[in-house]
Amino acid sequence: MFNSITWGEYFSAVIFLLIIYYILMGFMFYKWEILSVAGIRKVDDDSLYTTAALSNLKEFVASENHENYLPKPSLEIDISPLVQSFTDEITAFVQETDEAEITKEEIINSLQAICSKYPAIKNADCRNDLEVDVLKEINLKYPTLFQQNVFKNLWN
């Protein structure tokens, strides 16, 4: 009787039976984990009841606050990135004026156009400091061309 099968047939039968055994045990004990790999999720029994869903809805509606829909008061905003961008743009403008001859009115109009891009700086506390910085930057290229009172109208 032992001579009727070969070792190869014996090992292939044992491997086949082990594979079947592990597949069955896997589905018995790890069915939802295996199905979740395929994208199938188990629906909880609690989520099927509408009474629980309605009670959650009542809690949600009761917890609404009407003040959440009203406009909020303006908060203190950090304008340091705007100030940095503004000063960088002023510096770039002054450096570009070297290449072409430009008049005083053109400089003022260009500075007003740059200032109009930054309306948040118009009412900032550091506005006077920025005007002084712009004056210094312009006076480095064009000494005594501008006075401090000229820059009061930049933000209009």
Side-chain angles (χ1 to χ4, degrees):
M1 179 170 148
F2 287 115
N3 293 332
S4 65
I5 61 171
T6 64
W7 283 107
E9 291 172 343
Y10 172 74
F11 285 126
S12 62
V14 168
I15 291 173
F16 177 72
L17 289 174
L18 280 175
I19 291 173
I20 296 294
Y21 172 77
Y22 280 113
I23 288 174
L24 289 174
M25 291 299 116
F27 273 111
M28 283 179 59
F29 294 108
Y30 302 104
K31 177 171 52 172
W32 292 111
E33 287 82 3
I34 293 171
L35 290 175
S36 69
V37 171
I40 300 171
R41 304 273 185 241
K42 182 179 180 181
V43 177
D44 294 333
D45 293 335
D46 296 336
S47 66
L48 296 177
Y49 297 117
T50 57
T51 56
L54 289 177
S55 67
N56 289 339
L57 179 64
K58 289 178 185 177
E59 291 173 9
F60 175 73
V61 171
S63 67
E64 272 189 14
N65 188 0
H66 295 288
E67 293 172 359
N68 292 339
Y69 300 106
L70 297 175
K72 306 282 189 273
S74 63
L75 302 174
E76 187 67 31
I77 300 172
D78 182 23
I79 62 167
S80 59
L82 284 175
V83 171
Q84 183 64 42
S85 176
F86 175 77
T87 56
D88 289 345
E89 194 164 350
I90 293 292
T91 304
F93 167 72
V94 171
Q95 289 175 355
E96 287 180 11
T97 58
D98 239 7
E99 298 171 1
E101 291 186 18
I102 190 166
T103 64
K104 182 177 181 178
E105 291 79 23
E106 289 174 343
I107 292 174
I108 292 174
N109 289 337
S110 299
L111 290 175
Q112 284 177 342
I114 292 172
C115 291
S116 67
K117 293 180 189 177
Y118 302 97
I121 298 177
K122 181 178 182 178
N123 298 325
D125 295 336
C126 62
R127 177 180 164 183
N128 292 334
D129 296 332
L130 288 174
E131 289 174 357
V132 170
D133 289 343
V134 169
L135 178 66
K136 286 180 185 177
E137 190 74 34
I138 295 289
N139 281 339
L140 286 176
K141 284 284 191 193
Y142 306 103
T144 66
L145 183 63
F146 292 103
Q147 302 300 325
Q148 180 68 28
N149 59 1
V150 174
F151 292 111
K152 297 295 180 191
N153 297 328
L154 283 181
W155 303 97
N156 295 334

